[in-house]
Amino acid sequence: MERYPQLVVDLAHARENVENLVKRCADRGVRMTGVIKVTNGLPEMCQAYYDGGCRTLASSRIEHLKSLKEKGIGEEFELLRIPMMSEIPDVIKYADISLNSDGSVLEALNAEALRQGKVHRVILMVEVGDLREGYWDREELLRDALKVENDFDGLYLEGVGMNVGCYGSVLPTFENMQDLVDAAEMIEASIGRKLDTISGGGTSSLMRIFDGDIPERINELRVGGEPLAAYTLKNVYGYPMEWQHEDVIRLRMEVLEVRRKPSHPIGELAVDAFGHSNTYEDRGERLRAILGGGRLDYGEPQDIPNGNPGIEILGASSDHTIIDLEDCPIEYKPGDFIEFRIKYTQLMYLTLNPLTHIKYIE
Ligand SMILES: *Cc1c(COP(=O)(O)O)cnc(C)c1O
């Protein structure tokens, strides 16, 4: 018996999407690190990044890296979120590389690495304008880089990195990436050697690969959701992406009730279950259905890309999604399932959720 809500995951298509991106990056001299946090470390999906050609698997969560290491998936692990002081022993134990932006944290990492008899590789994050993590003052950056290079025997200065788009909505440009390269070259001039890694951002930085205007010395990108939930590059930034599979992961929810009802609630209106006051358009009586799955499963209903002609997502409570079927050519009845396209946010929640039934196909 199939159980719902269900994620149907086409692993062959996932792998092909990764392979394609890895190849496009490689053509420009860029390594693609596979960011697996959006899959919450689910082994089959992480394996697809590795099999698609990502030698390094990365996550913001040390727990994901620990679980991959224990399952023997991947060979090199990178921690993306700048480390918490409270997780330093695990960072040294489970991550080969981490992104960093604080002198006192570097000092703690060094002490722990020496204690565990390891050399831990660090990438120093440079603030280029998105206003999340990173050194803003280039002198402080240089000072900490020199400390890692000369004084911290438990650490190896792997390189520098940047992040844009995540908080400040800043676009990756030749200029802000060159800003990172300038910071790298300032450090290189002081330490007298080349840095191994100059990491130019996440999925959005792929635009500079596609347009062919990525600064030459950028040699790594950290790419997460796009190969699994293709959306942003095509639908937000307008790249054709015709070679990319859009059907890697689909959400199926079961139909619980189909009925004609008025479209405007009847009675005195206050707030919904989440304390929001809503407006409802009165379109007369319409055919509606209820699906078994709601905010508890996937977050906000209006964020679902849907992809079904004639089906409109009207709203959701914790466990029910309410849809309009008036213009839908297909006749649904209880027990049927309806399949939706998803993007990053839904994938993030659904893969974390123990109530999601996941079905892998090849
Ligand atoms: C999540 C994350 C990424 C990957 O972001 P995507 O938008 O999924 O490609 C890259 N770098 C850092 C620091 C991250 O936390």
Side-chain angles (χ1 to χ4, degrees):
M1 197 72 170
E2 300 283 342
R3 299 294 309 277
Y4 305 94
Q6 182 182 72
L7 281 185
V8 186
V9 184
D10 185 330
L11 290 171
H13 281 185
R15 216 159 42 232
E16 282 171 34
N17 279 354
V18 173
E19 272 166 9
N20 257 312
L21 287 172
V22 165
K23 184 180 169 306
R24 281 169 165 81
C25 287
D27 288 345
R28 291 265 155 191
V30 172
R31 274 178 293 123
M32 189 175 116
T33 289
V35 177
I36 53 90
K37 68 180 179 226
V38 72
T39 72
N40 282 290
L42 289 175
E44 290 85 351
M45 297 189 209
C46 297
Q47 187 74 46
Y49 284 91
Y50 185 71
D51 292 345
C54 295
R55 289 289 71 100
T56 310
L57 299 181
S59 180
S60 45
R61 309 291 173 136
I62 198 70
E63 291 83 355
H64 294 161
L65 303 183
K66 176 172 189 268
S67 127
L68 289 182
K69 204 158 197 163
E70 286 169 356
K71 293 191 173 79
I73 296 166
E75 58 192 63
E76 185 172 271
F77 305 100
E78 179 172 318
L79 181 67
L80 296 173
R81 186 170 61 190
I82 50 177
M84 299 184 207
M85 280 291 193
S86 58
E87 64 185 5
I88 299 279
D90 280 353
V91 176
I92 298 298
K93 197 163 175 197
Y94 300 114
D96 303 292
I97 310 171
S98 60
L99 307 184
N100 284 276
S101 67
D102 182 275
S104 63
V105 174
L106 288 167
E107 206 173 306
L109 285 171
N110 179 55
E112 181 63 27
L114 292 174
R115 200 169 301 133
Q116 292 188 27
K118 286 189 169 172
V119 176
H120 179 78
R121 293 146 66 194
V122 294
I123 292 178
L124 302 187
M125 295 302 278
V126 180
E127 176 61 71
V128 298
D130 202 59
L131 305 184
R132 200 177 65 184
E133 74 277 48
Y135 290 89
W136 176 235
D137 177 4
R138 300 298 189 259
E139 273 170 35
E140 186 195 359
L141 168 69
L142 182 60
R143 210 164 48 237
D144 282 357
L146 285 170
K147 233 189 269 174
V148 172
E149 179 74 4
N150 299 324
D151 305 338
F152 290 167
D153 292 339
L155 302 183
Y156 174 72
L157 182 60
E158 169 82 17
V160 291
M162 62 179 261
N163 199 74
V164 287
C166 286
Y167 165 73
S169 324
V170 169
L171 282 169
T173 57
F174 179 87
E175 288 73 23
N176 54 31
M177 288 176 143
Q178 188 58 42
D179 189 11
L180 175 70
V181 172
D182 291 345
E185 291 180 340
M186 169 191 75
I187 293 171
E188 289 173 338
S190 281
I191 62 175
R193 68 170 175 93
K194 288 241 142 94
L195 293 171
D196 303 77
T197 299
I198 303 181
S199 184
T203 295
S204 62
S205 295
L206 287 168
M207 292 192 276
R208 302 281 66 79
I209 299 257
F210 298 156
D211 290 348
D213 62 351
I214 189 163
E216 203 166 307
R217 292 222 45 211
I218 301 282
N219 64 3
E220 192 215 9
L221 294 183
R222 312 175 304 267
V223 176
E226 197 67 12
L228 297 183
Y231 187 82
T232 310
L233 291 166
K234 182 173 162 185
N235 298 285
V236 179
Y237 296 119
Y239 287 81
M241 307 300 288
E242 65 288 342
W243 44 269
Q244 195 172 40
H245 298 290
E246 293 186 340
D247 60 351
V248 174
I249 303 187
R250 287 151 292 157
L251 166 63
R252 288 177 178 172
M253 287 188 284
E254 187 168 333
V255 178
L256 311 180
E257 177 190 298
V258 182
R259 193 162 269 133
R260 283 193 145 274
K261 283 189 189 180
S263 45
H264 194 274
I266 298 122
E268 200 178 329
L269 303 194
V271 294
D272 68 13
F274 303 91
H276 304 144
S277 38
N278 302 316
T279 51
Y280 304 86
E281 195 191 342
D282 190 351
R283 298 192 284 176
E285 273 201 9
R286 307 213 15 129
L287 188 67
R288 311 150 62 89
I290 300 174
L291 308 176
R295 283 182 151 96
L296 178 69
D297 303 281
Y298 56 66
E300 296 293 317
Q302 65 274 17
D303 291 342
I304 297 177
N306 188 348
N308 295 288
I311 295 183
E312 192 185 333
I313 298 172
L314 295 172
S317 53
S318 304
D319 315 294
H320 305 78
T321 303
I322 298 124
I323 60 176
D324 181 288
L325 286 176
E326 185 70 23
D327 303 320
C328 182
I330 305 166
E331 245 180 68
Y332 288 106
K333 58 181 189 314
D336 293 341
F337 67 80
I338 301 184
E339 190 170 286
F340 295 88
R341 288 194 53 198
I342 58 166
K343 54 185 183 181
Y344 197 90
T345 327
Q346 294 87 48
L347 183 57
M348 181 169 81
Y349 292 136
L350 284 159
T351 52
L352 179 63
N353 199 323
L355 304 177
T356 306
H357 301 271
I358 302 185
K359 178 165 147 177
Y360 294 101
I361 56 174
E362 272 285 347

